[in-house]
Amino acid sequence: MQEESVEIIPSLAVLKKSESMPDGTPTVRGYDFSEGVDYHKLLQSYATSGFQAQNFGRAVEEINRMIHCKLLPIDDKNVKELIGHPTGRSRTNCSIFLSYTSNMISSGVRETIRYLVQNNMVDCLVTTAGGIEEDFMKCFAPTYVGDFALKGHSLREKGINRVGNLLIPNDNYEKFDAWIIPILNTMLQEQKEKGTLWTPSRVIDRLGREINNPDSVYYWAHRNNIPVFCPAITDGGVIKHHTCNANLARNGADFAVYLNTAQEFDGSDSGANPDEAVSWGKIKSNAKPVKICAEASLVFPLLVAETFSQRQNEFTAPTPRTETTAQDDTGKNCEMF
């Protein structure tokens, strides 16, 4: 009886035969520096570089989608949502929320945020108490570049505070206090005499008017009628949750990009992935949200470079707020805040 011959192909014993990739599937390819340095092409190559670079590319696409939607003519179907705006801002087809923590203002990202607000590219800001205070402080004295390894005891003896690898002398706070305390006293007097109701947003708007310094984010927020929400004016770190909850009231945001280093393993809202927000109705189920796991001071300016700054000329200049309007502000429509 003749024995049967069986051919064994080692690779098939371990690996299952591959199916063909769908037509149009991108291939992994990074930037070729032999072609010289073209920063725009370099950042475009992130979309096919994999890992967090790929998420950066997806975030650029998502932000450009929201910008495109914002610049479209107002959709008549949304007319009920678009009637009236308590700050006097002109409505657009898409309202863009910009949320950030105080350390972004402490760092050089402040100038990127100021650029977006100055050019009327966003519709409201959500931040923490430090995100307000440190913007105004920088109008009087600078924050310095330090080092993560500097010893706290030594800095304390010198009256210097460390924020990561940034240094803020105590003198900066003294200059800030000298400026803000007389303003707060005047506001208290207005409350007693005129019945002005000072909400956090109204306080920030008044300070933005009083600072009268174009380096300030909130100077431009005041000038351009961009409301600033600070849900924890005396403390906090709740900007992401506040922004998501605001969109819950309209059955979810149409677009969303997260940029942070927080992770979801501990169940925190700050680390939650976008899909968790979809389950609550904070982001619409048909949206295409993106999360980049990266440190914002490295990545946020690059995102702006590839999105908003490319289309700066398409944004409509705001109607500057007149001082008469600001001075006549006695608390009407304060319920929005």
Side-chain angles (χ1 to χ4, degrees):
M1 184 175 180
Q2 188 175 2
E3 293 184 2
E4 294 185 359
S5 176
V6 178
E7 182 181 5
I8 298 176
I9 303 175
S11 62
L12 293 180
V14 178
L15 303 176
K16 189 175 182 179
K17 185 174 177 59
S18 299
E19 294 184 1
S20 298
M21 297 296 293
D23 291 341
T25 301
T27 58
V28 175
R29 184 174 178 82
Y31 183 73
D32 184 355
F33 281 96
S34 65
E35 299 178 1
V37 179
D38 183 322
Y39 289 104
H40 183 53
K41 287 185 178 179
L42 169 63
L43 294 175
Q44 285 183 316
S45 75
Y46 279 25
T48 57
S49 291
F51 307 137
Q52 293 307 308
Q54 181 175 328
N55 281 350
F56 176 92
R58 291 179 57 225
V60 168
E61 181 181 352
E62 180 72 356
I63 292 171
N64 279 326
R65 286 178 63 235
M66 66 176 77
I67 293 173
H68 176 74
C69 182
K70 180 177 180 61
L71 296 176
L72 288 173
I74 291 177
D75 186 352
D76 290 338
K77 295 179 181 178
N78 297 330
V79 68
K80 290 183 179 179
E81 184 179 339
L82 298 169
I83 292 176
H85 197 296
T87 65
R89 283 180 59 76
S90 298
R91 290 284 192 174
T92 61
N93 200 52
C94 178
S95 295
I96 297 178
F97 289 68
L98 177 61
S99 307
Y100 50 91
T101 48
S102 64
N103 54 335
M104 295 296 96
I105 293 292
S106 303
S107 73
V109 175
R110 176 201 187 213
E111 280 64 41
T112 303
I113 295 170
R114 190 268 307 152
Y115 164 81
L116 294 172
V117 176
Q118 179 178 351
N119 288 282
N120 201 40
M121 293 174 168
V122 296
D123 295 284
C124 79
L125 306 177
V126 183
T127 189
T128 59
I132 306 300
E133 175 188 61
E134 297 197 21
D135 174 74
F136 293 129
M137 281 206 313
K138 281 187 171 182
C139 293
F140 300 104
T143 296
Y144 297 90
V145 176
D147 194 286
F148 285 103
L150 292 173
K151 299 299 182 183
H153 176 74
S154 175
L155 292 174
R156 178 67 175 170
E157 292 296 315
K158 297 175 181 179
I160 298 174
N161 307 279
R162 182 169 68 84
V163 178
N165 60 351
L166 309 179
L167 301 175
I168 306 176
N170 281 336
D171 288 349
N172 293 27
Y173 290 94
E174 293 177 6
K175 292 174 182 177
F176 172 71
D177 286 346
W179 171 74
I180 197 172
I181 289 174
I183 297 173
L184 294 177
N185 288 335
T186 299
M187 292 166 62
L188 177 60
Q189 184 177 356
E190 291 178 13
Q191 179 174 305
K192 292 178 178 178
E193 295 178 356
K194 300 180 181 179
T196 303
L197 177 60
W198 293 110
T199 63
S201 296
R202 197 170 295 282
V203 170
I204 296 163
D205 180 72
R206 176 61 172 268
L207 295 178
R209 184 186 104 190
E210 296 285 350
I211 195 66
N212 195 29
N213 186 321
D215 289 338
S216 166
V217 171
Y218 307 109
Y219 165 83
W220 288 107
H222 168 76
R223 285 282 304 272
N224 294 342
N225 295 326
I226 296 175
V228 183
F229 299 97
C230 188
I233 189 70
T234 58
D235 194 3
V238 294
I239 52 97
K240 178 170 174 278
H241 204 190
H242 189 77
T243 302
C244 287
N245 281 343
N247 281 279
L248 175 62
R250 65 179 300 276
N251 297 315
D254 297 278
F255 313 96
V257 171
Y258 293 176
L259 168 58
N260 62 46
T261 56
Q263 299 299 310
E264 63 177 346
F265 68 88
D266 61 355
S268 66
D269 182 73
S270 59
N273 286 325
D275 193 59
E276 181 176 309
V278 173
S279 75
W280 289 84
K282 298 172 183 177
I283 297 175
K284 289 185 176 178
S285 59
N286 61 350
K288 299 178 180 179
V290 182
K291 177 174 179 176
I292 307 175
C293 298
E295 199 279 305
S297 71
L298 290 173
V299 176
F300 186 63
L302 300 179
L303 276 176
V304 171
E306 284 297 288
T307 56
F308 289 98
S309 69
Q310 298 288 329
R311 306 181 69 173
Q312 178 177 338
N313 293 335
E314 298 179 60
F315 283 84
T316 303
T319 302
R321 174 181 291 177
T322 63
E323 287 307 306
T324 301
T325 302
Q327 291 171 355
D328 288 343
D329 185 2
T330 58
K332 293 182 179 178
N333 297 319
C334 63
E335 64 274 5
M336 72 164 292
F337 304 123

